[in-house]
Amino acid sequence: MARKAISLRDVAAVAGVSVSTVSKVLRGQGKASDATRERIFEAAERLDFQPNALGQFLVQGRSATVGVLTMNAPGAFTMPVLTGATTTLGTRDLSVLVTDSHLDRTVLAATVRKLRARSIDGLLVVGDGSGSEIRSVTAGFPAPVVYVYGISDDAADASFVHDGYAAGKRAGEHLIASGRRRIAHITASADDHSARERADGLAAALAAAGADLAPELVLRGDWSRGWGREAAERLIASGERFDAVCCGNDTIARAVIAALAEAGVRVPEDVAITGMDNISGLTGQDDESLTTIDFRLADLGARAAAHLADVIDGQPYEPGLHRIAGDLVAGESTASLTA
């Protein structure tokens, strides 16, 4: 026969106090003497009282629910962010209501209106990682809002993003440590925030080693495989000397490796290659052929969600940019010249 659930009334009867006093003391609220508090805690322990989390939230005027609004939930890079966030919120006894705007501003506005009416305790807005700013939805929202995998256009918001500058710097440092000195860079347009950050980090690493990111070795286009191949062919045809290519992402890097192979250039013996994003890791392949930067997207989502949960619990809101550094995943494409 199932054991009857112990209620606040049972604890109050054993402790000899009112139900309201038990409720307040167990929530850390109200005023009670040390002796009364001790009796209540002893009674709760003796009865093995397990408070109902939802009931506690309702007493506190909370819904125990957090909204998660994504720009592009099915995206390969969005999913690990979403997984890290929802897992963390679950460990904080918060239910999650996930909605997706499908990159449609009209849908986004309508979804925000619906979420405002749901009496949620907080909102996590998940960007698409494209580098474009997220239009802030914080104004007028009755609960705290945190942004992740994208930067809010309002500096007063808390935005959690991966550190593109640190990634470019780490890739450059690795290539220098591998004995490379004449390093090319194939990436997306300078108008792209992510591409700009990664290029700046690479330039800083080279400058620290007494080298320069030579303008003639920088080719800017987009994030596609087609651009990677075209840029590699241009680089080869230019006759410029280079012993490494730091690529803006893994898609470009794979195309560059293929183009170099067709031209008879060996990787890594003649030219070392680095990418960024660790796509093989995201897909569970981990083939170890390409040196890349893992942006720890699940950790990024977890950090943003933890901050939102902390704010809901009464801790201070921390506005501004929160950058999460990635990890270098060494592969076969950057074997040391001295190995």
Side-chain angles (χ1 to χ4, degrees):
M1 185 175 179
R3 174 177 177 268
K4 177 185 176 183
I6 301 300
S7 67
L8 286 174
R9 189 177 300 279
D10 297 323
V11 177
V14 171
V17 297
S18 69
V19 173
S20 63
T21 299
V22 170
S23 177
K24 290 176 181 178
V25 168
L26 293 182
R27 296 203 315 271
Q29 300 174 352
K31 296 180 180 180
S33 68
D34 291 341
T36 298
R37 292 171 61 82
E38 186 174 348
R39 289 205 314 276
I40 290 173
F41 287 127
E42 285 180 352
E45 184 175 358
R46 189 190 322 162
L47 296 173
D48 191 24
F49 174 65
Q50 301 293 328
N52 180 278
L54 179 58
Q56 287 185 318
F57 283 127
L58 292 175
V59 168
Q60 297 166 19
R62 291 169 52 183
S63 66
T65 302
V66 168
V68 176
L69 173 57
T70 65
M71 301 295 109
N72 182 28
F77 297 112
T78 304
M79 284 305 299
V81 177
L82 188 57
T83 299
T86 54
T87 299
T88 297
L89 292 170
T91 65
R92 301 291 289 268
D93 292 325
L94 292 166
S95 298
V96 180
L97 176 63
V98 179
T99 57
D100 186 56
S101 70
H102 308 291
L103 298 174
D104 187 318
R105 288 186 179 275
T106 302
V107 173
L108 174 63
T111 302
V112 170
R113 287 195 298 271
K114 291 178 182 178
L115 288 171
R116 281 176 177 155
R118 291 295 295 265
S119 299
I120 57 177
D121 293 334
L123 176 64
L124 185 67
V125 180
V126 183
D128 62 359
S130 65
S132 58
E133 288 186 328
I134 302 173
R135 180 177 295 177
S136 177
V137 298
T138 304
F141 209 88
V145 183
V146 171
Y147 300 77
V148 61
Y149 203 43
I151 302 173
S152 167
D153 61 6
D154 187 340
D157 290 331
S159 299
F160 287 75
V161 294
H162 60 261
D163 194 332
Y165 179 89
K169 190 169 183 289
R170 185 70 184 88
E173 290 170 343
H174 178 72
L175 289 170
I176 292 292
S178 300
R180 316 294 167 152
R181 291 295 180 271
R182 185 78 171 157
I183 300 172
H185 187 40
I186 298 177
T187 188
S189 167
D191 293 334
D192 188 292
H193 177 79
S194 295
R196 194 164 58 248
E197 277 199 333
R198 298 173 192 190
D200 288 346
L202 173 62
L206 298 185
D212 292 318
L213 185 56
E216 62 272 19
L217 295 180
V218 177
L219 294 92
R220 300 183 181 278
D222 56 38
W223 298 112
S224 70
R225 183 177 183 84
W227 164 241
R229 170 173 286 277
E230 178 185 339
E233 291 171 348
R234 286 188 193 177
L235 192 58
I236 295 167
S238 72
E240 295 287 347
R241 182 179 58 84
F242 62 97
D243 58 11
V245 183
C246 177
C247 299
N249 68 3
D250 287 357
T251 301
I252 291 173
R254 297 287 184 189
V256 170
I257 290 173
L260 291 176
E262 291 178 9
V265 179
R266 300 171 301 167
V267 175
E269 293 86 355
D270 301 324
V271 175
I273 304 291
T274 60
M276 294 185 193
D277 291 332
N278 191 23
I279 291 178
S280 67
L282 288 176
T283 57
Q285 297 176 5
D286 293 320
D287 64 10
E288 300 182 355
S289 63
L290 177 65
T291 294
T292 185
I293 302 292
D294 186 333
F295 284 115
R296 298 167 49 204
L297 297 180
D299 288 345
L300 180 65
R303 285 278 297 274
H307 181 57
L308 180 58
D310 287 344
V311 174
I312 292 170
D313 284 342
Q315 297 187 37
Y317 185 83
E318 299 179 3
L321 278 180
H322 302 262
R323 298 182 183 277
I324 311 300
D327 296 326
L328 184 131
V329 180
E332 300 165 3
S333 65
T334 56
S336 172
L337 288 173
T338 58

